[in-house]
């Protein structure tokens, strides 16, 4: 074995702190009805006991709807609710509560929530910067990556984009990403679902290797083949929220035989066990539960053995190298990741840029000379209205879809302690705002010139400021809707909100024709301030008279103040509009953060 290989092995595969999980009388129920105090409850886990040990690969098996995922989610802390009983984590330092180990375990969901635009190497390298402290050199990071990829047989696809990986490779990459900070406990929800038998075997072999290096690896699994079944060290069979077998795969046949269920020769023991608990040979559920309670008891690993084992596996030196980086460094990494996504994802940057340019040209042609022709003043107000509406829609609707798409990745990475929510949120804000400003600038520059608006820098920048603020607020509302609702409801609410704002802006229905309460509501309508701000930017600040073309004898709105009077905007102040819009922007962003936090706290 080369020196380099030995070094990485020492760094990566032999340093997991050993933790056993013990749960006693674990019961869990959920509220089925929406009404908290009157609703019926459903008991999912019914007094379960068990010990899952380090260095072992444990399979939680059972029929569909038995409670496997719920048990896994409860043990990992991914799901919280009305829990009874105890869950203890036992290391060489004694029994600890869950908070101690929450930060050290990882949860790998059934779906592989990965960014498809990065290569395996890029994904791994970014993960090392999010998980390993800044004192680690680039070479060290690469050694860690190479070693993990080699263990999980991913070296050959190191330079392949994640989008192009097979299902099995994606699953192994999900595991590889979590291995970087070497979690002592790994929870996996159905890691073999959707994989063919070869890929499933490779995945389970990889998990077994990880368990043998000191970790506690627990996964749920549906119906493993006989070969796969034998790979596990410990089987925990769950049926209707109760344990019906806990033991090694080798003991399964003799255990069920002793209870009167003789597994036929050449029959997969896993299949037979499921047939028995699925009542294909009669309903013996209660006997099986009682028998499991009597025969499937497990001894705790003695402290002495635990300390001895851990001494051979755990390396304090490496732990120092693996201290997590500061949130500031994580922020920089997330920023870099977003910039790379924006650069590589055509739909985010290039297409949007092209569309903003084309729409600006189209509106420019449609509202040609509207900015300076006194006969087209009302058309110009129409242009300002359309501009505001255009940015509301194009910023809000894509944003509604942004969080639901990213939510799964965010949920996974945050639960596995990659970064704090505020770091993620700050990074999205810092990357999306400049992009939004750039888009509004392109649109404004083109449409402003083509519609012959006044060629004064200060008016142009005021016009740009109002559009940018309108766009920020709308994006914020879109993100908020995306965080609260699913994409279909979110886009529906987005469209409804925009229609309501348009109706309450004072243009389609004049303010003095509105019922009083709706008139007051219109004060919180940011669309109103947006259009008002745009009109002020173009016609306010004592703009001089407009040119009335020679073919017309009279242009009613030649004098800008007359137009402002007609639109009931003569008393408005541009900077008040700008400040109100800015306040809206801040409030909306805070509300989005809160709703996102709330959403993430639920499973
Ligand atoms: N929040 C909830 N509200 C109501 N019922 C729930 C809730 N969560 C889980 N259940 C129910 O609890 C039972 C167990 O669900 P769980 O997802 O743990 O099963 P499972 O064994 O993992 O099933 P599968 O193998 O099909 O994924 C199911 O009947 C499910 O409908």
């Amino acid at each position: 074995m080369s020196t380099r290989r030995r070094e990485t092995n020492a760094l990566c595969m032999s340093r997991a702190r050993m933790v056993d999980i013990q749960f006693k009388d674990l019961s869990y129920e959920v509220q089925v009805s929406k009404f908290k105090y009157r609703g019926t409850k459903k008991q999912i886990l019914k007094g379960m006991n068990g010990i899952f040990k380090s260095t072992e690969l444990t399979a939680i098996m059972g029929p569909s709807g038995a409670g496997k995922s719920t048990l896994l989610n409860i043990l990992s802390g991914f799901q919280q609710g009305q829990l009874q009983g105890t869950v203890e984590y036992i290391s060489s330092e004694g029994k600890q509560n869950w908070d101690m180990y929450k930060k050290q375990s990882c949860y790998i969901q059934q779906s592989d929530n990965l960014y498809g635009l990065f290569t395996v190497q890029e994904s791994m390298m970014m993960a090392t910067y999010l998980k390993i402290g800044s004192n680690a050199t680039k070479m060290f990071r690469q050694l860690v990556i190479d070693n993990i990829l080699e263990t999980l047989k991913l070296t050959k696809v190191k330079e392949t984009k994640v989008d192009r990986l097979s299902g099995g490779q994606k699953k192994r990459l999900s595991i590889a990403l979590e291995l970087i900070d070497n979690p002592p406990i790994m929870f996996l929800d159905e890691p073999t679902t959707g994989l063919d038998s070869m890929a499933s075997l490779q995945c389970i072999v990889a998990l077994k290797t990880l368990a043998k290096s000191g970790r506690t690896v627990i996964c749920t699994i549906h119906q493993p083949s006989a070969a796969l079944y034998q790979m596990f060290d410990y089987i925990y069979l769950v049926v209707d929220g109760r344990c019906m077998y806990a033991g090694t795969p080798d003991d399964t046949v003799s255990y069920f035989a002793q209870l009167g269920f003789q597994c036929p020769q050449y029959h997969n023991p896993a299949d037979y066990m499921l047939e028995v608990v699925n009542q294909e040979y009669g309903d013996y559920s209660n006997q099986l539960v009682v028998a499991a309670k009597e025969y499937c008891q497990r001894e705790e690993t003695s402290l002495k053995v635990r300390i001895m084992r851990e001494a051979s596996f755990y390396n304090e030196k490496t732990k120092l190298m693996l201290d997590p980086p500061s949130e500031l460094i994580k922020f920089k990494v997330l920023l870099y990741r977003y910039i790379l996504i924006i650069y590589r994802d055509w739909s985010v940057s290039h297409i949007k840029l092209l569309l903003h340019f084309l729409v600006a040209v189209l509106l420019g042609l449609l509202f040609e000379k509207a900015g300076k022709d006194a006969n087209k003043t009302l058309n110009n107000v129409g242009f300002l209205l359309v501009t505001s509406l255009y940015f509301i829609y194009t910023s809000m609707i894509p944003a509604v879809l942004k969080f639901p798409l990213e939510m799964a990745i965010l949920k996974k990475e945050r639960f596995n302690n990659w970064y704090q929510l505020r770091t993620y949120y700050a990074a999205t804000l810092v990357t999306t705002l400049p992009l939004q400003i750039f888009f509004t600038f392109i649109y404004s520059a083109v449409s402003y010139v083509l519609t012959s608006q006044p060629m004064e820098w200060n008016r142009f920048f005021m016009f740009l400021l109002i559009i940018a603020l309108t766009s920020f607020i709308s994006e914020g509302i879109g993100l908020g809707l995306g965080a609260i609702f699913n994409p279909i409801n979110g886009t529906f609410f987005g469209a409804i909100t925009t229609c309501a704002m348009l109706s309450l802006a004072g243009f389609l229905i004049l303010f003095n024709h509105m019922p009083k309460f709706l008139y007051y509501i219109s004060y919180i309508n940011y669309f109103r301030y947006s259009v008002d701000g745009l009109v002020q930017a173009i016609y306010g600040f004592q703009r001089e008279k407009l040119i009335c073309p020679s073919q017309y004898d009279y242009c009613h709105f030649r004098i800008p103040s007359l137009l402002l009077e007609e639109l009931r905007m003569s008393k408005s102040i541009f900077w008040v509009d700008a400040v109100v819009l800015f306040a809206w922007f801040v409030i909306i962003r805070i509300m989005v953060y809160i709703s996102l936090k709330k959403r993430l706290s639920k499973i």
Side-chain angles (χ1 to χ4, degrees):
M1 195 188 268
S2 69
T3 325
R4 182 186 142 117
R5 175 82 59 80
R6 239 182 289 124
E7 187 183 354
T8 44
N9 274 352
L11 291 171
C12 306
M13 306 316 303
S14 313
R15 55 182 160 65
R17 187 171 279 285
M18 300 168 87
V19 182
D20 292 351
I21 301 175
Q22 182 169 31
F23 49 99
K24 285 183 193 157
D25 298 321
L26 198 64
S27 296
Y28 177 77
E29 56 184 24
V30 287
Q31 201 88 27
V32 180
S33 161
K34 281 182 185 164
F35 301 105
K36 205 171 177 182
Y37 299 104
R38 279 185 288 150
T40 44
K41 288 176 179 174
K42 178 175 178 179
Q43 192 163 19
I44 300 177
L45 304 184
K46 301 166 184 169
M48 299 183 98
N49 296 292
I51 302 181
F52 298 154
K53 293 186 178 179
S54 57
T55 69
E56 286 184 357
L57 174 60
T58 300
I60 302 177
M61 281 181 60
S64 182
K68 304 182 291 294
S69 302
T70 307
L71 178 62
L72 193 80
N73 290 344
I74 296 285
L75 294 179
S76 64
F78 198 67
Q79 192 166 347
Q80 285 152 4
Q82 292 185 20
L83 190 69
Q84 279 168 4
T86 54
V87 182
E88 287 170 323
Y89 297 82
I90 315 163
S91 71
S92 56
E93 284 154 20
K95 291 187 180 176
Q96 313 280 341
N97 69 9
W98 172 226
D99 286 340
M100 171 88 184
Y101 282 104
K102 197 172 168 190
K103 285 196 161 58
Q104 295 182 36
S105 73
C106 79
Y107 184 94
I108 296 161
Q109 290 158 299
Q110 210 180 111
S111 50
D112 302 304
N113 301 309
L114 304 162
Y115 285 108
L117 293 168
F118 303 131
T119 62
V120 169
Q121 163 70 21
E122 285 170 337
S123 307
M124 290 292 286
M125 190 50 93
M126 275 186 263
T128 65
Y129 278 101
L130 286 168
K131 290 174 165 223
I132 302 179
S134 50
N135 52 346
T137 61
K138 193 159 184 205
M139 197 181 140
F140 174 82
R141 292 171 199 278
Q142 195 56 52
L143 288 174
V144 171
I145 293 172
D146 289 346
N147 187 257
I148 294 174
L149 293 184
E150 200 179 307
T151 309
L152 296 178
K153 306 274 178 291
L154 285 170
T155 311
K156 277 190 190 152
V157 292
K158 198 169 157 185
E159 296 307 330
T160 307
K161 281 215 172 124
V162 173
D163 261 348
R164 306 204 182 280
L165 295 180
S166 70
Q169 287 165 340
K170 277 187 187 161
K171 180 60 67 193
R172 278 178 280 142
L173 176 60
S174 295
I175 299 169
L177 288 167
E178 298 308 332
L179 276 179
I180 288 170
D181 54 350
N182 192 36
I185 312 169
M186 301 182 76
F187 297 98
L188 299 102
D189 194 10
E190 302 193 13
T192 55
T193 297
L195 306 186
D196 63 21
S197 55
M198 193 57 209
S200 299
L201 197 66
Q202 281 175 347
C203 181
I204 298 299
V205 167
L207 292 178
K208 180 120 180 163
T209 313
L210 298 175
K212 287 290 159 257
S213 60
R215 295 174 182 83
T216 311
V217 184
I218 304 159
C219 61
T220 57
I221 195 149
H222 252 286
Q223 212 158 358
S225 65
L228 221 54
Y229 186 68
Q230 288 302 324
M231 299 284 301
F232 290 99
D233 297 303
Y234 191 65
I235 305 292
Y236 192 84
L237 180 67
V238 181
V239 184
D240 189 26
R242 298 176 296 178
C243 174
M244 288 205 186
Y245 173 69
T248 63
D250 289 340
D251 289 344
T252 318
V253 173
S254 57
Y255 175 80
F256 278 92
Q258 158 200 322
L259 295 175
F261 303 99
Q262 191 60 56
C263 179
Q265 223 180 356
Y266 309 119
H267 201 77
N268 176 3
D271 285 345
Y272 183 72
M273 186 169 74
L274 287 172
E275 285 163 17
V276 171
V277 297
N278 276 334
Q279 302 176 3
E280 285 186 25
Y281 308 106
D283 182 3
Y284 299 99
S285 304
N286 289 334
Q287 289 95 310
L288 286 167
V289 171
V290 173
K293 260 196 186 140
E294 277 176 24
Y295 303 116
C296 299
Q297 302 286 350
R298 223 182 170 198
E299 288 282 310
E300 266 186 50
T301 314
S302 74
L303 187 63
K304 196 174 154 199
V305 171
R306 233 181 281 132
I307 292 171
M308 264 168 54
R309 269 202 207 157
E310 194 163 304
S312 66
F313 280 114
Y314 190 63
N315 181 345
E316 273 298 334
K317 237 187 194 170
T318 322
K319 185 182 170 295
L320 282 177
M321 296 290 277
L322 290 170
D323 276 346
S326 68
E327 285 300 308
L328 183 67
I329 290 177
K330 293 181 183 183
F331 169 76
K332 287 184 195 163
V333 179
L334 290 178
L335 214 60
Y336 171 73
R337 188 166 85 172
Y338 272 114
I339 292 169
L340 216 56
I341 291 174
I342 290 168
Y343 178 72
R344 291 188 186 172
D345 188 351
W346 273 71
S347 66
V348 176
S349 49
H350 305 54
I351 291 177
K352 271 190 184 169
L353 180 64
L354 184 71
L355 283 178
H356 282 303
F357 177 78
L358 290 178
V359 170
V361 171
L362 182 75
L363 291 182
L365 295 175
L366 207 60
F367 293 95
E368 196 198 359
K369 293 186 188 154
K372 65 176 180 191
D373 187 337
N375 197 44
K376 292 183 175 175
T377 308
L378 281 183
N379 286 4
N380 202 35
V381 174
F383 162 70
L384 300 176
L385 201 108
V386 168
T387 293
S388 178
L389 206 56
Y390 168 71
F391 273 95
I392 288 177
Y393 261 113
T394 54
S395 309
M396 192 187 291
I397 303 302
V400 170
L401 304 171
K402 182 182 160 70
F403 272 163
L405 282 176
E406 268 203 15
M407 193 65 80
I409 296 180
L410 173 62
K411 209 165 188 173
K412 175 194 87 170
E413 294 184 345
R414 212 176 76 95
F415 184 79
N416 289 331
N417 298 303
W418 287 40
Y419 44 75
Q420 304 264 348
L421 177 62
R422 59 171 186 268
T423 314
Y424 162 87
Y425 195 61
T428 28
L429 216 65
V430 172
T431 38
T432 52
L433 292 192
L435 198 67
Q436 208 78 4
I437 293 175
F438 179 62
F439 291 147
T440 48
F441 179 79
I442 295 295
Y443 171 90
S444 302
V446 176
S447 66
Y448 198 90
V449 173
L450 290 181
T451 53
S452 307
Q453 304 300 334
M455 284 299 143
E456 295 168 40
W457 281 111
N458 52 350
R459 287 191 192 276
F460 173 72
F461 282 115
M462 285 192 287
F463 177 86
L464 183 63
L465 175 69
I466 295 293
I467 299 184
L469 284 171
T470 308
S471 161
F472 294 165
I473 299 169
S474 310
E475 196 195 32
I477 293 180
L479 294 176
L481 291 172
I484 298 168
F485 302 109
N486 64 38
I488 296 171
N489 290 344
T491 41
F492 179 70
F493 271 98
I496 296 268
T497 314
T498 313
C499 287
M501 286 195 303
L502 184 61
S503 315
L504 291 175
F507 303 106
L508 301 180
I509 305 163
L510 294 176
F511 286 129
N512 48 1
H513 293 173
M514 272 183 205
K516 264 277 174 280
F517 78 99
L518 286 179
Y519 171 74
Y520 289 122
I521 287 180
S522 76
Y523 274 104
I524 56 162
N525 178 7
Y526 76 91
F527 181 59
R528 170 187 175 157
Y529 297 97
S530 170
V531 178
D532 194 277
L534 289 176
V535 172
Q536 295 295 335
I538 302 298
Y539 294 105
F541 299 94
Q542 278 104 38
R543 182 176 169 183
E544 61 193 28
K545 284 181 189 168
L546 278 82
I547 304 159
C548 187
S550 52
Q551 66 267 36
Y552 299 105
D553 298 333
Y554 171 70
C555 295
H556 186 66
F557 291 118
R558 200 177 161 211
I559 305 166
S561 58
L562 202 66
L563 174 79
L564 295 179
E565 195 77 41
E566 192 70 18
L567 294 173
R568 310 278 188 277
M569 291 180 181
S570 53
K571 289 196 184 122
S572 305
I573 301 166
F574 172 83
W575 294 110
V576 170
D577 292 327
V579 168
V580 171
L581 288 175
F582 185 75
W584 253 102
F585 161 66
V586 174
I587 292 167
I588 290 286
R589 293 293 166 157
I590 293 172
M591 281 165 67
V592 172
Y593 180 76
I594 294 169
S595 44
L596 197 59
K597 200 166 179 169
K598 213 164 163 209
R599 171 86 187 258
L600 284 172
S601 66
K602 295 180 198 160
I603 189 174

